[in-house]
């Protein structure tokens, strides 16, 4: 009788869950007809849902009728005894018996045998490899392909005439193979150095040195009386996104841009430090390639997925709109950069603009050195492949916990991104072993292997746009790892409601360098308390989840201390094995934190979110704004809405405590599951309310009004980006209209925060 009761009690619980899932799909389908610009959405998903629902209704009716007979037993027997405790499996996930650094090393080696740029055959092979690992571990997997705009280098050249009458110096623009290079046989597969989405063109002009190419650097040149207009800018990489360097140069009147890797930042400070393969530093001929496209997703399908036969605007239209850079650019090595620096005269650069101790003296020019820069790109529509693996939830299959990492690389990609790919596969393999031991997640866990991230977060963005409404109604959280390991120090970023969970998780994982302490201990050692950064930058695949549709997210990495061979051909398995993580223990730690976070989010009866952390973070950000605004505006609406959020966050925390106490003291009843589901929905949907359908002014794809990239640095994270942009404009114009725009942005953010508070409260006005 007890066994039969348990069996039917489980069915009763499952039926309510499945009915709730179907009702959610019926309810949310109408929302999908809404679109930012008034266009009709694709109705295929709706039709598929209806077919799926109709198919299951007879089965559900039969099961419910049978289950009613046993409902008395179900209500009088402890349902908690019907389900295996999850904590045992969670502990097992972190055990040495499941962790496997040798497997991680093998997967990384297999993924990085060839350069694998997005859209190439080699990268398709990595997709197939990832899929094969998932399927061999009984994780249901499929490929989602998109046809997207990409560019590849057709030709490029660079010559320098140091002074009039001097013979020109022709740069070969090649990264040298080192002695004993295990990848020498495939070095010819490394694409010539270029900028993804770089502008085709030939320009010739004197050179101006602009430090890191930031807005403040060009302001300094103006203050020094240096005329940038009509020159080619030389800037070093290291502070802002390379695409913003090109845009800032164009805004200053430059006709071309060269970006080099300075020894001061990537070469260990000088020749004495040595370089790879003898040391971890970038060799003199190393070139950091990368994209100069500063938006997200396929530039020819803005806001909608690049599916077969979709609407597509001409690439030339994207160029006219300034979506891709307006002037040609090239990445060059530190050695070539110093050669050009040596040809410059003009004023002496400031001390903080100078190079390493044995570098030439830096002057700002312009000239007398004159550069001829020529670049020709091949524009194409290429097919990219995302791999999606699914472990379906047993209790709430319609709630998704997503783990993502991109797979494409500019060259071999041992650190960026395939250290993350290897860690993702490690998580999948451990969870597969838990399944064999009887574990099933409460909620669905989804593994995402993205393509074409390097060009502009394209694979993840197209997928999110393709599944926008389903993800908005079902995604619990997105956990991202890009570069899992490139140095010793752990760092993490998150939306604030996940701060406490993230810190608690790192307390459960041993530090890979000192096993007598935890990752939390080493993370906190420098400041006394770990600093969780925010996800406002556009540097990785969390962007579409946080900034476009408002899904709580985390990003993590071992990268504090720098990444010398970033985006160069020296980022190979040999570098990782010698310098990045010789025993692959940091890879194991990342996989442990990543997977354990996923387990907490997938298995906890009540989602482990704390919005009081969010309210505290918003209070800090509002305080920082006070020094930026004039007496022509007021932050009173913002402070009022944050206070409302604090009250709602406190209220829902009290409700959670009450429910958890009920669950501990008594057998869960149907209303307990319903109450838990209702609270979880409020916790899950609150982040969505930070988004605004109109998006940021001038940047409508970015919907999140609290976290988005800085206008002049795509990697930079800004709180209240719309307010920040308006303040910057108002300070320049200093007109009543400009300051009124600041006030409008303050009101927009205030209204969004008020909506968040309402969602958390669970009440209507």
């Amino acid at each position: 009788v007890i066994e039969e009761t348990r069996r039917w009690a489980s069915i009763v619980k499952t039926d309510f869950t499945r009915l709730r899932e179907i009702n959610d799909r019926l309810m949310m389908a109408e929302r999908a007809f809404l679109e930012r610009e008034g266009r009709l959405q694709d109705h295929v998903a709706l039709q598929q849902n209806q077919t799926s629902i109709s198919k299951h209704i007879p089965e559900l009716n039969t099961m419910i009728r049978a289950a009613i007979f046993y409902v008395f037993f179900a209500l009088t027997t402890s349902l908690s005894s019907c389900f295996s405790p999850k904590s045992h499996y969670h502990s097992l996930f972190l055990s040495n018996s499941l962790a496997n650094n040798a497997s991680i090393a093998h997967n990384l080696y297999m993924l990085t045998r060839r350069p694998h740029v997005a859209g190439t055959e080699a990268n398709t092979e990595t997709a197939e490899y990832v899929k094969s690992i998932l399927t061999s571990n009984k994780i249901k997997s499929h490929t989602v392909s998109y046809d997207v705009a990409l560019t590849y280098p057709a030709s490029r050249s660079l010559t320098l005439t140091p002074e009039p009458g001097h013979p020109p110096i022709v740069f070969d623009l090649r990264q040298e193979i080192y002695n004993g290079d295990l990848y020498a046989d495939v070095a010819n597969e490394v694409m010539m150095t270029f900028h993804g989405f770089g502008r085709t063109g030939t320009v010739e002009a004197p050179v101006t040195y602009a430090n890191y190419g930031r807005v403040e650097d060009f302001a300094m040149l103006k203050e020094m009386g240096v005329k940038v207009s009509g020159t080619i800018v030389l800037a070093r990489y290291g502070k802002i996104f390379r695409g913003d360097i090109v845009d800032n140069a164009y805004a200053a009147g430059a006709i071309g841009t060269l970006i080099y890797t300075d020894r001061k930042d990537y070469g260990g400070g000088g020749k004495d430090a040595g370089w790879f393969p003898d040391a971890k530093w970038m060799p003199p001929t190393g070139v950091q390639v990368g994209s100069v496209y500063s938006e997200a997703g396929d530039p020819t399908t803005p806001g909608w997925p690049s599916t077969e036969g979709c609407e597509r605007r001409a690439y030339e239209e994207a160029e006219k709109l300034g979506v891709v850079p307006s002037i040609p650019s090239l990445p060059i090595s530190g050695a070539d950069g110093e050669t050009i620096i040596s040809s410059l005269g003009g004023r002496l650069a400031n001390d903080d603009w100078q190079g390493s101790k044995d570098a030439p003296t830096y002057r700002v020019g312009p000239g007398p050195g004159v550069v001829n820069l020529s670049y020709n790109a091949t524009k194409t529509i290429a097919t990219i492949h995302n791999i999606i693996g699914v472990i379906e939830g047993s209790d709430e299959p319609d709630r998704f916990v997503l783990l993502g990492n991109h797979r494409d690389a500019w060259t071999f990609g041992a650190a960026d991104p395939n250290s993350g790919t290897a860690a993702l596969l490690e998580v999948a393999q451990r969870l597969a072993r838990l399944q064999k031991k009887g574990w099933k997640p409460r909620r669905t866990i989804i593994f995402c292997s993205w393509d074409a991230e390097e060009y502009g977060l394209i694979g993840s963005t197209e997928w999110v746009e393709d599944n926008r409404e389903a993800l908005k109604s079902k995604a619990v959280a997105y956990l991202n790892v890009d570069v899992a390991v490139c140095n010793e120090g752990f760092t993490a970023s998150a939306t604030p409601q996940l701060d406490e969970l993230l810190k608690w998780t790192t307390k459960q994982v041993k530090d890979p360098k000192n096993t007598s302490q935890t990752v939390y201990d080493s993370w906190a050692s420098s400041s006394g308390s770990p600093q969780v950064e925010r996800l406002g930058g556009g540097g990785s695949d969390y962007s579409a989840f946080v900034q476009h549709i408002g899904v709580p997210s985390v990003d993590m990495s071992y990268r504090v201390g720098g990444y010398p061979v970033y985006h160069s051909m020296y980022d190979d398995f040999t570098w990782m094995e010698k310098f990045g993580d010789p025993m692959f223990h940091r890879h194991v730690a990342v996989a442990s934190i990543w997977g354990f976070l996923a387990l907490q989010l997938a298995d906890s009866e009540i989602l482990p979110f704390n919005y009081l952390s969010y309210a505290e973070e918003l209070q800090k950000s509002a305080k920082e704004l006070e020094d930026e605004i004039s007496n022509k505006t007021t932050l009173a609406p913002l402070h009022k809405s944050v206070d409302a959020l604090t009250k709602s966050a406190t209220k829902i925390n009290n409700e959670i405590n009450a429910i958890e106490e009920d669950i501990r003291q008594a057998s869960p009843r149907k209303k307990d599951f319903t109450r838990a589901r209702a609270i979880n929905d409020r916790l899950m949907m609150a982040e969505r309310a930070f988004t605004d359908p109109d998006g940021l002014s001038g940047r409508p794809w970015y919907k999140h009004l609290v976290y988005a990239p800085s206008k002049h640095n795509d990697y930079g994270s800004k709180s209240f980006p719309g307010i920040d942009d308006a303040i910057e404009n108002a300070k320049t114009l200093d007109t009543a209209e400009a300051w009124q725009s600041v006030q409008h942005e303050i009101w927009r953010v205030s209204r969004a925060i008020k909506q968040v508070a309402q969602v958390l409260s669970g009440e209507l006005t």
Side-chain angles (χ1 to χ4, degrees):
V1 171
I2 290 173
E3 288 302 316
E4 191 72 357
T5 299
R6 288 176 177 171
R7 187 168 71 88
W8 284 105
S10 179
I11 289 174
V12 170
K13 181 181 177 186
T14 302
D15 289 337
F16 289 128
T17 302
R18 295 178 68 189
L19 285 170
R20 176 76 179 236
E21 176 194 354
I22 285 176
N23 285 336
D24 282 354
R25 288 153 63 188
L26 290 166
M27 178 181 72
M28 297 303 295
E30 184 69 27
R31 316 286 201 276
F33 286 111
L34 300 175
E35 228 273 341
R36 183 182 77 242
E37 297 175 359
R39 295 188 298 266
L40 287 177
Q41 287 276 61
D42 188 348
H43 301 155
V44 173
L46 179 64
Q47 295 167 353
Q48 291 174 341
N49 279 349
Q50 182 150 351
T51 301
S52 176
I53 291 168
S54 301
K55 182 177 68 176
H56 288 298
I57 285 175
E59 174 194 352
L60 284 168
N61 288 340
T62 301
M63 292 176 69
I64 292 170
R65 284 196 296 270
I68 288 171
F69 181 79
Y70 293 91
V71 75
F72 173 78
F73 295 102
L75 293 176
T76 57
T77 304
S78 173
L79 294 185
S80 60
S81 65
C82 302
F83 308 102
S84 299
K86 306 284 189 181
S87 58
H88 164 70
Y89 295 114
H90 296 183
S91 298
L92 187 59
F93 178 84
L94 295 179
S95 68
N96 291 333
S97 63
L98 262 63
N100 193 335
N101 60 333
S103 174
I104 291 175
H106 173 73
N107 285 331
L108 183 61
Y109 173 76
M110 295 298 292
L111 288 161
T112 58
R113 290 185 300 171
R114 298 173 62 191
H116 46 285
V117 176
T120 64
E121 178 190 352
N123 203 43
T124 300
E125 290 177 2
T126 66
E128 293 168 352
Y129 182 81
V130 168
K131 188 176 180 181
S132 71
I133 296 296
L134 294 175
T135 55
S136 67
N137 282 275
K138 310 301 183 194
I139 295 174
K140 185 179 178 181
S141 304
H142 63 280
T143 303
V144 184
S145 300
Y146 297 100
D147 298 327
V148 302
L150 299 178
T151 69
Y152 302 111
S155 64
R156 81 273 194 267
S157 64
L158 183 68
T159 62
L160 166 69
T161 303
E163 291 184 51
H166 283 229
I169 298 171
V170 180
F171 298 103
D172 64 13
L173 304 177
R174 294 182 61 187
Q175 303 182 82
E176 293 180 356
I177 298 171
Y178 56 88
N179 291 332
D181 188 350
L182 298 178
Y183 298 92
D185 60 329
V186 291
N188 63 329
E189 296 182 27
V190 175
M191 285 189 183
M192 63 179 79
T193 52
F194 76 112
H195 280 150
F197 293 115
R199 183 82 169 210
T200 290
T202 299
V203 291
E204 182 172 299
V207 176
T208 300
Y209 170 57
N211 197 23
Y212 292 106
R214 299 166 294 186
V215 170
E216 56 265 39
D217 293 325
F218 286 101
M220 176 59 72
L221 288 173
K222 185 176 181 180
E223 186 179 315
M224 294 170 68
V226 177
K227 185 180 178 182
V228 176
S229 182
T231 68
I232 293 174
V233 161
L234 174 69
R236 53 186 177 181
Y237 186 86
K239 300 297 183 183
I240 66 173
F241 173 60
R242 70 189 68 78
D244 290 310
I245 296 175
V246 179
D247 289 343
N248 293 342
Y250 174 70
I255 61 172
T257 310
L258 298 169
I259 302 175
Y260 76 105
T261 307
D262 199 308
R263 278 188 288 158
K264 181 179 180 179
D265 300 305
Y266 294 90
K271 295 177 181 177
D272 294 343
W275 53 77
F276 185 68
D278 300 317
K280 68 179 181 179
W281 305 107
M282 178 81 93
T285 64
V287 178
Q288 180 213 112
V289 300
S291 177
V292 287
Y293 169 54
S294 56
E295 297 196 9
D298 183 345
T300 66
T301 60
W304 65 89
S306 298
T307 51
E308 184 178 359
C310 71
E311 175 190 2
R312 191 180 299 277
R313 71 181 178 189
Y315 187 86
E316 290 70 25
E317 183 181 347
E319 289 182 321
K320 289 178 183 177
L321 292 171
V323 173
V324 293
S326 301
I327 55 176
S329 63
L330 278 179
I332 60 174
S333 68
D336 293 347
E338 287 189 359
T339 299
I340 296 172
I341 284 277
S342 298
S343 74
L344 301 185
R347 295 190 59 175
L348 185 68
N350 295 338
D351 289 344
D352 58 344
W353 286 39
Q354 294 295 326
S356 58
K357 60 185 179 182
D358 50 4
T361 299
Y362 286 17
R363 294 184 176 274
V364 298
V370 172
V371 156
N372 181 290
L373 183 167
S374 180
Y375 175 67
N376 184 35
T378 298
K379 302 162 190 169
T380 188
I381 300 297
T383 302
I384 63 170
H385 308 287
N386 294 334
I387 303 299
I388 307 297
V390 180
I391 301 177
E392 188 172 21
S394 60
D395 294 28
E396 297 182 79
D398 62 326
R399 292 294 178 258
F400 305 152
V401 176
L402 303 105
L403 294 79
N405 156 267
H406 79 93
R407 194 184 60 255
D408 64 297
W410 288 117
T411 58
F412 298 99
D416 185 8
N418 298 131
S419 61
T421 315
L424 183 72
L425 295 177
E426 165 73 0
V427 174
Q429 288 169 316
R430 286 199 219 175
L431 293 184
R433 295 187 189 107
L434 289 187
Q435 283 186 291
K436 290 179 180 179
K437 296 179 182 296
W439 167 82
K440 293 181 180 179
R442 178 184 184 87
R443 303 178 184 92
T444 296
I445 294 176
I446 301 177
F447 298 96
C448 308
S449 176
W450 309 120
D451 203 346
E453 185 270 357
E454 294 291 5
Y455 274 88
L457 318 179
I458 293 177
S460 58
T461 298
E462 299 310 308
W463 191 77
V464 168
E465 291 173 346
D466 203 11
N467 297 278
R468 181 188 293 120
E469 299 306 319
L471 290 169
K472 284 167 69 173
S473 64
K474 298 180 180 181
V476 170
Y478 174 70
L479 310 177
N480 189 70
V481 172
D482 191 322
V483 179
V485 180
C486 66
N487 218 306
E488 293 188 1
F490 180 77
T491 183
S493 305
T495 46
Q497 74 274 65
L498 290 168
D499 284 3
E500 288 187 10
L501 175 63
L502 178 59
K503 291 177 182 179
W504 178 80
T505 298
T506 59
K507 291 179 180 179
Q508 316 309 311
V509 178
K510 290 183 178 180
D511 180 64
K513 192 174 182 180
N514 180 1
T515 56
S516 66
Q517 63 180 19
T518 66
V519 171
Y520 178 91
D521 296 329
S522 60
W523 186 17
S525 61
S526 58
S527 59
S529 176
Q531 182 65 41
V532 181
E533 303 297 333
R534 297 301 163 216
L535 294 172
S540 195
D541 291 301
Y542 55 76
S543 179
F545 289 92
V546 178
Q547 298 156 8
H548 189 59
I549 61 173
V551 174
S553 298
V554 170
D555 183 61
M556 72 192 86
S557 176
Y558 271 93
R559 67 183 305 163
V560 175
Y563 175 14
V565 294
Y566 178 55
H567 283 191
S568 74
M569 70 176 284
Y570 307 108
D571 181 10
D572 59 21
F573 186 82
T574 301
W575 184 90
M576 180 62 72
E577 194 175 36
K578 290 184 70 173
F579 303 110
D581 189 13
M583 297 302 294
F584 292 88
H585 288 161
R586 286 190 284 276
H587 284 75
V588 170
V590 169
S592 296
I593 297 167
W594 201 1
F596 200 73
L597 272 173
L599 286 170
Q600 304 313 306
L601 291 163
D603 285 341
S604 297
E605 186 120 12
I606 303 295
L607 292 175
F609 291 175
N610 187 350
Y611 276 88
L612 277 176
S613 298
Y614 223 129
E616 292 169 3
E617 185 72 13
L618 294 179
Q619 285 173 342
K620 292 178 191 174
S621 298
K623 183 76 174 173
E624 292 170 1
L625 277 179
E626 290 177 357
D627 297 332
E628 297 291 324
I629 65 170
S630 73
N631 54 12
K632 300 170 186 175
T633 61
T634 175
L635 290 175
L638 185 58
H639 289 303
K640 185 177 179 180
S641 64
V642 173
D643 288 343
L645 176 58
T646 302
K647 291 176 183 176
S648 292
T650 302
K651 176 179 180 289
I652 199 169
N653 282 357
N654 291 337
E655 290 180 61
I656 290 169
N657 291 337
I659 288 180
E660 290 178 340
E661 185 63 25
D662 287 348
I663 292 172
R664 280 193 295 269
Q665 293 187 1
S667 301
R669 296 162 293 172
K670 174 194 166 186
K671 70 175 185 178
D672 291 323
F673 294 123
T674 305
R675 285 173 66 199
R677 174 81 172 205
I679 280 187
N680 285 338
D681 283 354
R682 286 152 60 189
L683 291 167
M684 180 182 75
M685 298 303 292
E687 184 74 34
R688 316 285 198 270
F690 284 115
T691 64
D692 186 290
D694 294 330
L696 298 179
S697 178
R699 298 187 286 163
W701 186 86
Y702 295 102
K703 308 292 186 188
H704 207 290
L705 299 189
V706 176
Y707 295 119
S710 166
K711 197 170 187 178
H712 298 288
N713 178 16
D714 191 59
Y715 288 164
S717 175
K718 283 289 184 181
S719 297
F720 310 134
I723 299 175
D724 190 72
D725 290 347
I727 289 174
E728 183 181 324
N729 186 58
K731 285 182 175 180
T732 301
L733 300 178
D734 199 22
T735 63
E737 183 180 4
W739 285 108
Q740 183 56 42
S741 294
V742 174
Q743 191 65 66
H744 173 64
E745 292 297 333
I746 292 171
W747 276 111
R748 287 185 74 199
V749 174
S750 303
R751 287 190 288 268
I753 296 173
K754 183 181 177 184
Q755 290 294 317
V756 176
Q758 271 188 254
V759 172
L760 284 177
S761 73
E763 299 171 355
L764 298 174
T765 57

